[in-house]
Amino acid sequence: MNVTILNTPSVARLQSLLALALMVVGLGLMTDTFLTSDNGWNILRQISVNLCLSVGMTLIIISGGIDLSVGAVLALSGAVAAGLLKQGIALPFLGVHLDFTITGAIVSAIAVGAAAGACNGLAITRLQLPPFVATLAMLSIARGLTLLWTGGFPITGLGPSFGFIGTGAWLGIPMPVWEVLVIVMLAALVCKRTAFGRHLYAVGGSERAALLAGVRVERVKLIVYVVGGVLSGVAGLLVTARLDSAQPNAGLGYELDSIAAVVIGGTSLSGGRGSIVGTVIGCLIIGVLNNGLFLLDVSPFWQQVIKGLVIIVAVALDRFGAPKGRAG
Amino acid sequence: MNVTILNTPSVARLQSLLALALMVVGLGLMTDTFLTSDNGWNILRQISVNLCLSVGMTLIIISGGIDLSVGAVLALSGAVAAGLLKQGIALPFLGVHLDFTITGAIVSAIAVGAAAGACNGLAITRLQLPPFVATLAMLSIARGLTLLWTGGFPITGLGPSFGFIGTGAWLGIPMPVWEVLVIVMLAALVCKRTAFGRHLYAVGGSERAALLAGVRVERVKLIVYVVGGVLSGVAGLLVTARLDSAQPNAGLGYELDSIAAVVIGGTSLSGGRGSIVGTVIGCLIIGVLNNGLFLLDVSPFWQQVIKGLVIIVAVALDRFGAPKGRAG
Amino acid sequence: SRGPAESTPAPAPGAQSRQIAVVVSTLNNPWFVVLANTARDEAQRRNYKVTIFDSQNDPAKEAAHFENIVASRYAAVLLNATDAEGSVANVMKARVANIPVFTMDREINSRAPVSQVLSDNYAGAVDVAIEFVEQLGERGRYVELLGIVTDNNTWNRSKGFHSVVDRYPGLEMIAQQSAEFDRSKALEVMESILQRSTSIDAVFCGNDAMALGAYQALLSAGLAGKVKVFGFDGSDDALASIAEGKLTATAMQYPKTMARMVAEFADRYLQGERNLPARLPIHVDLVTRGNIGEFGEHGRRGE
Amino acid sequence: MTSTAATSHVLEARNISKSFPGVRALQDVSLRLSAGKLVALVGENGAGKSTLMSVLAGVQPPDRGEILLDGTVISFRHPSEARRGGIATIFQELGLSANLTVAENIFLGEEATTRWGTLDYAAMHRHTRSLLARMQLDIPADAPLHSLRVGQQQVVEIARALSANARVIIMDEPTSALSQGEIESLLRMIKELKAAGVAIVYITHKFEELADLADEVAIMRDGRMITQASYESLTHEQIVSLMVGRTPTATHARRVRRSTKEPVLCVKQAYLPHPSRPGDYLVRNVDLHLCRGEVLGIFGLMGAGRTELLETIFGMHARRARLDLAIDGREARFASPAEAVDAGLAFAPEDRKRDGLVLDMSTQQNATLACLGAMKRWGLIHPALETECARTLLQRIHWRGSSLREPVRNLSGGNQQKVILAKWLATRPKVLLLDEPTRGIDINARNEIYALIEELVAGGLSIVMVSSELPEIMALSDRIMVMCQGANAGEFAADTATAEAIMTAALPNSTRSRA
Ligand SMILES: Nc1ncnc2c1ncn2[C@@H]1O[C@H](COP(=O)(O)OP(=O)(O)OP(=O)(O)O)[C@@H](O)[C@H]1O
Ligand SMILES: Nc1ncnc2c1ncn2[C@@H]1O[C@H](COP(=O)(O)OP(=O)(O)OP(=O)(O)O)[C@@H](O)[C@H]1O
Ligand SMILES: [Mg+2]
Ligand SMILES: [Mg+2]
């Protein structure tokens, strides 16, 4: 849409920041607990998983694609990590039984994520499937594999040292926050300061122009989906560690949450425009909203209505300040 | 994506038809029950709801938009119909209690759908929200309203004459099939043979060119979302009538099913290309797939894996025959 | 006036296939996986061919399953209904095609099923509530975590619980939120509620997954042990946690017992037996640290 | 560059063939480029020039034939390989990313990085500024590309080709959107490049540019290479007839002017605020009137705001713009282009592909898009009627394409422009607004369009024509209005106007300040 195209990220970001500020002030006045540091960390801890997914989603959407499989891949890699950690894996044909250290389990979970991402990327570049279809298929496949791997039962009792990456804290700051902070920093750097980042924007903005300029369009796409898969894997580890349990149905519907965060953050689904910072703000808006609704003890029925309305207002504020599109 | 853009609908349709044919033949050989007339009617009856939603989704996607709220609006309008039929509605301030005939209930359900669609359309045209966001918000709002209206409990016992529209048959053909058949016919006619249909393609193909050609872009968009809402309302009636009960959580996740059907049918998510016939085929592919997996007695866990793979194959076949995009 | 699928004459009993369909409301929750798997194993033990259908909590999907079941002439259906009301129409389809239906765990409001072996969620919740009141000494502040708000059992359990607890003015419910039977949802909801106030004495959860999620939140808030957590279902994790004193109590439903019984009924019915109980409530037992020894995976020890 | 390179062929294409579904774009075409020589590649729209270039640039593999770089056969699998091979290309459809900055576009695919692997913006901006200076384009290196005009964007594209310090540079209609000044600096650049021994392919439809540039001329027709000869050996007339393959439509003669005095369109005090710079106007206090059967030519440098003026009249900026408008003496106010169309206006935009056509649609569907009401039976579009209507329309504008069903995307520039005109003829407009009607269109098609304009005006239609080409303006207009920085900078009667007078009026006057 022209509108979003003319809409400069900086403006968008400012606007959604405004929406966020309004919510924070409002909740600060309405409740006495919202503006406590505890609650602050609590919100950050809670958005960490969605933020982790949304960072990957942002990169993918900037490149003009989309990834519906994040939630399913999250569940799969979480389950793989837990399974390997708990029982290891038996290779009958070799007659061996491999046990996994925590590191081993973590690495293989991330590898699983990367593999899923690679499949997405190849389906999109080689088979030229629309990203929506390719990743929708992956959603279904990853869900199925998770159920097959777990038999439908949670894998629990992974021990404190594994749990640390999800529940621990360092310098008084929760581990998930540290981890996601690093990821955000890296992603922002990649977007703004690397050739790959520029190529992402170019491909998302005009695939043809990027190609003519000599950008390796297919390679860029492949890489970005692998990155997305890796981040889903990390998110899977976070969830599993926090619950000290890998749930077969973990991450159900997370894809929409994360796309919502990205879009609320001012990234355009038509590709080529967007920013990691915006996505961080988007996640914060959603996190603050959820948290606030509980602090106000809004009935579960009303919560959904209010969420919908707030999303509209937040994004409308976004558009509001931005220059009108010529077609507007 | 260039690929899908260069992909002429006729070709696409042929290809997905091929995928469908392959599945039918395959299942016909593998099972003895698949090719029975009973089973045929089953499949048709089962896809009728998704098809109803997908027809609206097709029009919206052709116009360059998307509607994530179909499932939620389905639930809402179904619940409204059931509620009005069962208890009518009390207007305390007027001190009156309105009772509803079946027709009245049906009309108001469709009105609810239309209203929801209109909200989507206005949010997109007036507030210039990205369709994804506007309809995502509507999803949340409609779900919430459904819970508020039903209190979270199903509304049941609507009686056979209402149930007829979902379970009845005429000339040996199930009512849902009749109803959806009419809808499909009309939609196809609108796409191919009316100015509005042509404007849909124009707006989806190039909003700015359409605007400059004197197309009332905003009006076209508004109308198409209202139509989508109406069809969600109809789908809601079908589901409710079939179950003789309005479930507050009806239609969960239907949005993805219906988008999948549309895309498998060869309609491009980038807008401006697609066909109702393609969508019908897309729905059939999904319906036959679900049905076949049960007939083959595939375990539910494997089913998801296989579904994913089949979707990939079906759409890959689609791309396969189509001319390569310039961007390759 | 019925669709052709329904109007098909069902073959006379005896000439029936030996295929049994297990239709389960969801496989996204381990408790139902146990239910489904046990039913399958038992039916297979009685050498039937078994197919499991996952309704994904959607009566419409369940309807599709029943149509397929009718079309391919299954001998019987072992049903774990998605909804007490919404599933009635589906069961009628089978009934009309002379396919006997046996429900397990969740009762449906219809006479159509041959027999209903159901877990008495309400009574179970009452038992938990009584234990709850004793543990708290009739006064205190508590939180209730509801399951999926559109699920019958969510409300059966909540109502059973409140039918007791609400009689004690000393017991104050400071929050009632839904965590959708989900462990990670429960964790987040609990975390947020704890922000409002940490002076909580107990949490009542609609199932064990939520109880364990809530415990996880209390743990990281340093309230583990101070706050009593009550669950429902009797899942392995929960039993282990009760043994370790993490959870205070849960209600053991007997998915395996119910599944076996239903499979047996189906078999006997297909043998021609007709005097089967139309409605057989399986009592739900309270599990506390005291009697934990009597219980094993999803049932009594040695089952 | 060594002197040997000057004699041997740097790049040679041998018997290249390339077909697209339904089109044989190239049929064993050969082309030879030598160091320090400029080959002018000419041909009608759709002759296959751009396709040949896209093959040389590695965008599309040829179906048959081979490419030799310094006498050795090579095959580019990707544009980046051609670029590394020293072949830089200025693509006809701008190959730039609107969402990146000028510098980022220039270095796209060849980014300069620091030793940490991060982008070295300092270096890129420095290099960019020097390039822009060489091109005498005064814009910041970090300006987002979408804020630039077509013309400015094209200069950036040229700058990128230069930045690659390539040995072969392909220029596909580089001047199609350039202003006079920009063209001159480009021609100067080209001379420098030739002196440096760079081999250049130069595609254009404006022969006057070739005079002191071209060493050789290569002529294509219908996907075949007719000849590649030294430029001196051929006169313009010969070139044109070789291009067209038949005696070309007579070049346009000054038209007989009939002056009616009934006013059709009257615009008073048109203002259009700048979208992002408050207090600045893209169109400032412009008055304009047009009589029946009159052609008003609007001349101006790029960025004069002519497009915006037309768009404002056409109701595109209703939310922002202010103006008093009268059609046939009756007050009018358009909230949207649709209302403008209903009132009898028609607008053929500057950017054909983006704004003029729905590229996914067929030729027929584009032609009938604005008049679907006219071919209904019982409220339904009647296919036979539609085809009939489209055919008559396209015949009227002498459209020469293979089929009505062909995607308009694949048409040549000239035919695309004709389809747009056909679309508007269908609505029987009173006033036709033309923005750069002959940009990127070959001589022959151009003359046909001139003839068409004649015909329409004779039929009582009134036309406002924006153009950056003075000869065109002077030949076709009854009156000429000159715009400068969004304001009316003078008006001339065509028969008394001189090129000098018009040019001086168009140049920004230092005393006039942009409020
Ligand atoms: N991707 C494509 N698919 C189908 N046909 C194409 C494609 N690209 C070009 N063509 C066709 O190939 C022929 C040559 O096109 P090309 O762009 O090379 O002509 P040209 O000489 O550059 O014309 P112009 O002077 O207008 O730029 C035209 O008939 C065009 O329709
Ligand atoms: N979308 C836009 N946003 C900001 N400024 C714009 C935009 N479009 C045009 N401008 C500015 O408005 C002025 C007029 O641009 P425009 O291209 O309309 O000039 P023009 O006279 O029409 O040139 P052309 O010969 O291309 O028609 C220029 O200064 C240009 O930079
Ligand atoms: Mg060309
Ligand atoms: Mg212009």
Side-chain angles (χ1 to χ4, degrees):
Chain A
M1 292 182 309
N2 282 11
V3 186
T4 45
I5 286 171
L6 285 185
N7 188 348
T8 69
S10 57
V11 178
R13 193 177 312 156
L14 260 172
Q15 299 294 332
S16 38
L17 202 50
L18 173 60
L20 178 60
L22 287 177
M23 289 171 60
V24 170
V25 173
L27 285 167
L29 296 176
M30 284 186 282
T31 73
D32 48 2
T33 47
F34 178 76
L35 286 179
T36 61
S37 69
D38 263 15
N39 194 39
W41 292 124
N42 175 41
I43 292 174
L44 289 180
R45 209 187 308 108
Q46 291 190 354
I47 67 170
S48 57
V49 169
N50 186 14
L51 185 50
C52 184
L53 294 176
S54 301
V55 165
M57 189 68 80
T58 310
L59 300 178
I60 290 174
I61 289 179
I62 287 175
S63 80
I66 194 155
D67 187 352
L68 299 178
S69 67
V70 285
V73 173
L74 173 152
L76 179 59
S77 40
V80 168
L84 294 180
L85 200 58
K86 201 82 184 296
Q87 297 107 8
I89 189 168
L91 305 172
F93 45 91
L94 295 180
V96 300
H97 182 96
L98 295 177
D99 285 325
F100 281 71
T101 63
I102 289 181
T103 335
I106 291 176
V107 169
S108 33
I110 291 176
V112 168
C119 295
N120 284 333
L122 290 173
I124 290 162
T125 52
R126 291 265 160 277
L127 300 182
Q128 301 184 335
L129 298 186
F132 192 96
V133 181
T135 57
L136 185 66
M138 177 54 71
L139 186 167
S140 184
I141 294 172
R143 282 264 164 242
L145 292 178
T146 311
L147 290 172
L148 288 168
W149 171 264
T150 60
F153 297 102
I155 304 176
T156 34
L158 308 173
S161 43
F162 178 76
F164 184 75
I165 59 176
T167 55
W170 183 52
L171 307 179
I173 297 176
M175 287 307 290
V177 178
W178 281 119
E179 290 144 3
V180 174
L181 186 70
V182 173
I183 290 173
V184 167
M185 294 289 192
L186 284 177
L189 186 73
V190 167
C191 278
K192 294 236 163 315
R193 307 290 301 184
T194 69
F196 176 73
R198 293 296 90 189
H199 293 177
L200 275 182
Y201 283 88
V203 170
S206 161
E207 192 167 328
R208 172 113 179 122
L211 184 82
L212 293 182
V215 173
R216 298 277 180 179
V217 174
E218 300 213 328
R219 186 185 298 169
V220 170
K221 284 185 175 176
L222 182 57
I223 293 177
V224 79
Y225 281 97
V226 171
V227 171
V230 167
L231 289 176
S232 305
V234 174
L237 288 167
L238 284 181
V239 174
T240 311
R242 277 192 77 191
L243 295 172
D244 182 36
S245 154
Q247 302 287 322
N249 64 335
L252 264 182
Y254 281 19
E255 53 277 1
L256 284 191
D257 299 351
S258 113
I259 297 174
V262 173
V263 179
I264 293 174
T267 297
S268 140
L269 279 170
S270 39
R273 312 210 137 259
S275 69
I276 295 293
V277 181
T279 296
V280 173
I281 295 171
C283 285
L284 278 170
I285 289 181
I286 295 181
V288 168
L289 182 57
N290 287 330
N291 177 262
L293 289 172
F294 285 118
L295 293 191
L296 298 172
D297 196 19
V298 177
S299 100
F301 294 1
W302 277 107
Q303 286 196 9
Q304 305 201 34
V305 179
I306 296 172
K307 266 184 211 169
L309 294 173
V310 172
I311 290 182
I312 288 182
V313 173
V315 182
L317 270 177
D318 221 29
R319 297 277 155 281
F320 173 70
K324 291 263 168 297
R326 287 179 151 194
Chain B
M1 291 174 311
N2 284 13
V3 185
T4 44
I5 287 171
L6 285 184
N7 190 347
T8 71
S10 58
V11 177
R13 193 177 312 155
L14 260 172
Q15 299 294 333
S16 38
L17 202 51
L18 173 61
L20 179 59
L22 288 177
M23 289 170 60
V24 170
V25 172
L27 285 167
L29 296 175
M30 283 186 282
T31 73
D32 47 2
T33 42
F34 178 76
L35 285 180
T36 62
S37 70
D38 277 10
N39 196 42
W41 292 122
N42 268 345
I43 294 175
L44 289 181
R45 206 187 301 102
Q46 287 165 15
I47 66 168
S48 58
V49 170
N50 186 16
L51 185 49
C52 184
L53 294 176
S54 302
V55 166
M57 189 68 80
T58 309
L59 300 179
I60 291 174
I61 289 179
I62 287 176
S63 81
I66 193 154
D67 185 352
L68 298 178
S69 67
V70 285
V73 173
L74 173 152
L76 179 58
S77 42
V80 167
L84 294 180
L85 199 60
K86 200 82 182 295
Q87 299 106 7
I89 189 168
L91 305 173
F93 47 90
L94 296 181
V96 301
H97 182 97
L98 295 176
D99 284 326
F100 281 71
T101 63
I102 288 181
T103 334
I106 290 176
V107 170
S108 33
I110 290 175
V112 168
C119 295
N120 284 333
L122 289 173
I124 290 163
T125 52
R126 293 264 161 276
L127 301 182
Q128 300 186 336
L129 298 186
F132 191 97
V133 181
T135 57
L136 184 67
M138 177 53 72
L139 185 166
S140 185
I141 294 173
R143 283 262 163 241
L145 292 178
T146 312
L147 289 176
L148 289 167
W149 172 263
T150 60
F153 297 103
I155 304 174
T156 39
L158 309 173
S161 44
F162 178 77
F164 183 75
I165 59 175
T167 56
W170 182 53
L171 308 180
I173 296 177
M175 287 307 291
V177 178
W178 280 119
E179 289 142 4
V180 174
L181 187 69
V182 173
I183 290 172
V184 166
M185 295 289 193
L186 284 176
L189 195 68
V190 167
C191 279
K192 292 236 166 314
R193 300 288 302 276
T194 67
F196 175 73
R198 196 61 64 79
H199 290 168
L200 275 182
Y201 284 91
V203 171
S206 163
E207 190 167 330
R208 197 164 145 81
L211 186 79
L212 280 171
V215 175
R216 291 182 161 72
V217 173
E218 300 211 330
R219 184 186 298 174
V220 170
K221 284 185 175 178
L222 183 56
I223 294 177
V224 79
Y225 282 96
V226 172
V227 171
V230 167
L231 290 176
S232 305
V234 174
L237 287 167
L238 284 182
V239 175
T240 312
R242 259 185 99 189
L243 299 173
D244 183 36
S245 155
Q247 297 294 320
N249 64 337
L252 264 181
Y254 282 18
E255 54 277 0
L256 284 189
D257 299 352
S258 120
I259 298 175
V262 173
V263 178
I264 292 174
T267 296
S268 141
L269 279 171
S270 40
R273 302 201 143 265
S275 69
I276 296 293
V277 180
T279 297
V280 173
I281 296 171
C283 285
L284 279 169
I285 289 181
I286 294 180
V288 168
L289 183 57
N290 287 330
N291 178 266
L293 288 172
F294 293 126
L295 295 187
L296 294 174
D297 192 5
V298 178
S299 99
F301 294 177
W302 277 109
Q303 285 190 15
Q304 306 201 31
V305 179
I306 295 172
K307 262 183 214 170
L309 294 174
V310 172
I311 290 181
I312 290 183
V313 173
V315 182
L317 269 178
D318 222 28
R319 299 276 154 282
F320 175 69
K324 287 268 168 296
R326 285 177 155 197
Chain C
S1 61
R2 279 186 266 91
E6 287 89 336
S7 59
T8 52
Q16 257 157 342
S17 70
R18 290 192 66 81
Q19 276 195 318
I20 285 187
V22 175
V23 181
V24 60
S25 61
T26 177
L27 289 177
N28 260 332
N29 177 332
W31 192 88
F32 293 95
V33 177
V34 172
L35 190 71
N37 289 353
T38 320
R40 180 196 57 207
D41 300 343
E42 180 63 18
Q44 279 172 347
R45 204 176 60 73
R46 297 165 178 272
N47 50 51
Y48 285 92
K49 194 168 166 309
V50 183
T51 313
I52 294 182
F53 294 81
D54 175 5
S55 307
Q56 296 167 15
N57 279 329
D58 180 352
K61 290 204 174 65
E62 191 178 75
H65 293 334
F66 271 88
E67 285 161 359
N68 292 334
I69 288 164
V70 169
S72 40
R73 311 263 195 290
Y74 276 72
V77 181
L78 312 186
L79 169 67
N80 164 237
T82 51
D83 185 83
E85 301 291 349
S87 302
V88 174
N90 300 335
V91 174
M92 285 312 298
K93 286 200 187 75
R95 172 60 176 273
V96 165
N98 293 345
I99 297 178
V101 177
F102 305 80
T103 64
M104 43 188 168
D105 169 40
R106 181 173 295 142
E107 181 176 22
I108 70 167
N109 308 341
S110 158
R111 301 234 132 285
V114 172
S115 71
Q116 304 205 51
V117 178
L118 48 108
S119 146
D120 194 336
N121 283 276
Y122 188 94
V126 169
D127 295 352
V128 174
I130 293 167
E131 175 71 12
F132 184 92
V133 175
E134 279 178 14
Q135 290 279 349
L136 269 69
E138 302 194 7
R139 63 176 47 263
R141 296 151 53 82
Y142 69 93
V143 171
E144 179 182 7
L145 292 189
L146 298 166
I148 297 170
V149 294
T150 57
D151 185 297
N152 313 88
N153 286 338
T154 298
W155 298 113
N156 290 338
R157 295 169 191 178
S158 181
K159 289 209 190 78
F161 176 77
H162 284 285
S163 68
V164 176
V165 173
D166 291 0
R167 297 218 213 87
Y168 298 87
L171 293 171
E172 179 197 1
M173 180 167 74
I174 63 163
Q176 182 184 41
Q177 290 291 350
S178 163
E180 297 169 16
F181 287 136
D182 180 66
R183 189 165 177 156
S184 53
K185 270 269 178 1
L187 168 59
E188 291 186 3
V189 173
M190 199 60 209
E191 279 174 342
S192 295
I193 292 174
L194 284 175
Q195 296 307 320
R196 232 180 43 247
S197 117
T198 51
S199 64
I200 298 174
D201 304 302
V203 184
F204 173 69
C205 304
N207 78 344
D208 286 340
M210 292 194 289
L212 293 162
Y215 175 80
Q216 211 70 22
L218 294 166
L219 188 63
S220 46
L223 294 170
K226 299 189 188 65
V227 180
K228 298 186 163 51
V229 183
F230 297 76
F232 206 100
D233 275 357
S235 72
D236 304 357
D237 298 359
L239 295 187
S241 310
I242 290 177
E244 300 164 20
K246 293 175 178 174
L247 300 193
T248 308
T250 186
M252 171 59 76
Q253 311 191 68
Y254 297 95
K256 292 180 167 174
T257 318
M258 287 187 284
R260 289 206 197 88
M261 204 172 281
V262 164
E264 180 195 338
F265 284 2
D267 187 25
R268 278 158 60 187
Y269 181 89
L270 294 175
Q271 306 293 342
E273 183 174 341
R274 285 296 175 271
N275 56 353
L276 294 164
R279 189 171 178 286
L280 182 59
I282 301 293
H283 191 268
V284 176
D285 293 329
L286 180 71
V287 183
T288 61
R289 208 160 178 186
N291 65 359
I292 184 77
E294 307 166 18
F295 297 93
E297 317 188 339
H298 297 290
R300 294 204 170 272
R301 271 209 195 293
E303 266 189 322
Chain D
M1 276 297 152
T2 63
S3 60
T4 58
T7 57
S8 71
H9 298 312
V10 183
L11 185 69
E12 182 173 0
R14 282 194 192 145
N15 313 85
I16 302 285
S17 296
K18 177 80 189 170
S19 318
F20 300 105
V23 202
R24 299 188 65 186
L26 298 175
Q27 300 175 44
D28 53 39
V29 174
S30 300
L31 185 69
R32 291 172 307 281
L33 309 180
S34 343
K37 294 262 181 300
L38 182 144
V39 177
L41 180 57
V42 298
E44 288 186 288
N45 294 121
K49 306 183 291 297
S50 299
T51 307
L52 177 57
M53 295 306 115
S54 70
V55 168
L56 292 182
V59 178
Q60 283 157 327
D63 299 344
R64 262 178 280 94
E66 57 188 11
I67 303 171
L68 291 79
L69 189 61
D70 299 321
T72 56
V73 178
I74 42 124
S75 72
F76 299 125
R77 290 185 310 282
H78 194 273
S80 59
E81 294 179 357
R83 199 171 173 182
R84 298 224 169 69
I87 302 176
T89 313
I90 299 165
F91 291 97
Q92 180 176 18
E93 86 267 32
L94 295 180
L96 295 171
S97 304
N99 54 334
L100 300 186
T101 68
V102 173
E104 288 166 348
N105 265 289
I106 287 179
F107 282 87
L108 191 55
E110 303 287 324
E111 288 81 0
T113 52
T114 64
R115 66 176 169 300
W116 311 112
T118 62
L119 291 173
D120 186 349
Y121 272 109
M124 296 201 295
H125 284 163
R126 207 181 318 112
H127 192 109
T128 305
R129 275 193 295 275
S130 67
L131 277 170
L132 294 177
R134 270 169 83 193
M135 298 300 304
Q136 295 181 342
L137 179 59
D138 170 28
I139 51 170
D142 60 357
L145 196 84
H146 67 82
S147 70
L148 270 52
R149 285 170 12 244
V150 188
Q152 297 171 317
Q153 294 185 6
Q154 192 143 18
V155 177
V156 173
E157 175 112 25
I158 295 168
R160 180 167 76 192
L162 300 180
S163 76
N165 34 37
R167 307 167 44 221
V168 179
I169 298 185
I170 297 168
M171 302 184 175
D172 196 344
E173 302 188 34
T175 58
S176 60
L178 293 194
S179 67
Q180 216 51 46
E182 289 163 337
I183 291 179
E184 274 147 22
S185 54
L186 172 63
L187 301 190
R188 204 180 53 259
M189 296 294 320
I190 291 178
K191 291 206 184 70
E192 293 175 18
L193 291 168
K194 282 169 67 176
V198 178
I200 298 174
V201 185
Y202 189 93
I203 301 178
T204 185
H205 294 299
K206 306 181 193 164
F207 291 179
E208 57 274 19
E209 294 169 0
L210 299 180
D212 52 356
L213 279 185
D215 303 293
E216 296 177 42
V217 58
I219 303 173
M220 289 189 69
R221 185 203 315 154
D222 304 336
R224 289 205 177 68
M225 182 63 73
I226 303 306
T227 173
Q228 177 172 0
S230 79
Y231 181 68
E232 290 72 18
S233 66
L234 293 169
T235 67
H236 278 191
E237 290 64 29
Q238 289 168 311
I239 293 176
V240 172
S241 53
L242 283 169
M243 256 173 60
V244 182
R246 53 192 137 72
T247 48
T249 331
T251 48
H252 183 73
R254 272 180 90 85
R255 54 180 280 242
V256 286
R257 311 186 189 287
R258 66 197 74 68
S259 63
T260 61
K261 281 282 153 279
E262 25 171 338
V264 183
L265 173 69
C266 180
V267 178
K268 286 208 163 38
Q269 291 160 357
Y271 285 92
L272 180 66
H274 192 285
S276 41
R277 291 194 296 269
D280 189 3
Y281 289 86
L282 298 177
V283 175
R284 187 186 300 99
N285 189 18
V286 174
D287 295 4
L288 163 159
H289 71 90
L290 185 68
C291 297
R292 184 169 315 291
E294 188 184 35
V295 177
L296 171 65
I298 301 184
F299 181 77
L301 304 181
M302 299 283 165
R306 299 163 297 171
T307 298
E308 275 67 15
L309 175 60
L310 296 192
E311 288 177 352
T312 308
I313 296 173
F314 199 59
M316 280 195 66
H317 303 300
R319 294 215 180 103
R320 277 190 290 141
R322 279 182 284 121
L323 78 164
D324 304 334
L325 196 85
I327 308 277
D328 291 338
R330 257 176 280 101
E331 279 293 313
R333 156 158 313 289
F334 306 139
S336 74
E339 294 178 9
V341 173
D342 296 344
L345 264 57
F347 178 37
E350 164 180 42
D351 186 340
R352 275 192 295 275
K353 284 195 187 299
R354 203 192 66 191
D355 305 344
L357 298 162
V358 183
L359 292 176
D360 291 342
M361 284 186 167
S362 71
T363 306
Q364 165 172 325
Q365 290 172 326
N366 271 284
T368 57
L369 185 56
C371 66
L372 288 168
M375 55 201 92
K376 286 200 189 144
R377 287 258 178 87
W378 306 301
L380 295 183
I381 296 173
H382 193 284
L385 277 183
E386 182 181 10
T387 316
E388 192 42 48
C389 167
R391 183 171 291 109
T392 45
L393 283 170
L394 292 169
Q395 270 162 4
R396 240 182 101 191
I397 46 102
H398 319 292
W399 181 77
R400 274 193 261 89
S402 48
S403 121
L404 294 175
R405 300 253 173 283
E406 175 158 25
V408 79
R409 174 189 303 278
N410 297 354
L411 295 185
S412 65
N415 276 333
Q416 285 182 337
Q417 185 67 293
K418 289 181 181 175
V419 172
I420 294 174
L421 292 177
K423 173 175 73 187
W424 288 125
L425 292 190
T427 65
R428 303 208 177 66
K430 300 192 185 87
V431 179
L432 177 58
L433 310 173
L434 298 172
D435 194 355
E436 307 285 0
T438 62
R439 173 173 290 173
I441 288 175
D442 69 62
I443 303 190
N444 201 44
R446 183 180 305 217
N447 285 327
E448 287 173 357
I449 287 175
Y450 292 157
L452 193 61
I453 291 176
E454 288 302 309
E455 199 178 311
L456 297 174
V457 172
L461 182 66
S462 316
I463 292 180
V464 179
M465 183 181 77
V466 164
S467 172
S468 307
E469 292 181 37
L470 204 40
E472 178 172 283
I473 286 271
M474 296 186 72
L476 289 174
S477 319
D478 300 303
R479 278 184 303 126
I480 298 170
M481 172 177 142
V482 179
M483 280 187 73
C484 181
Q485 295 178 340
N488 183 338
E491 212 167 291
F492 305 81
D495 29 29
T496 61
T498 65
E500 295 67 29
I502 294 177
M503 268 321 249
T504 42
L507 292 174
N509 180 335
S510 53
T511 59
R512 195 190 305 124
S513 65
R514 303 192 72 157

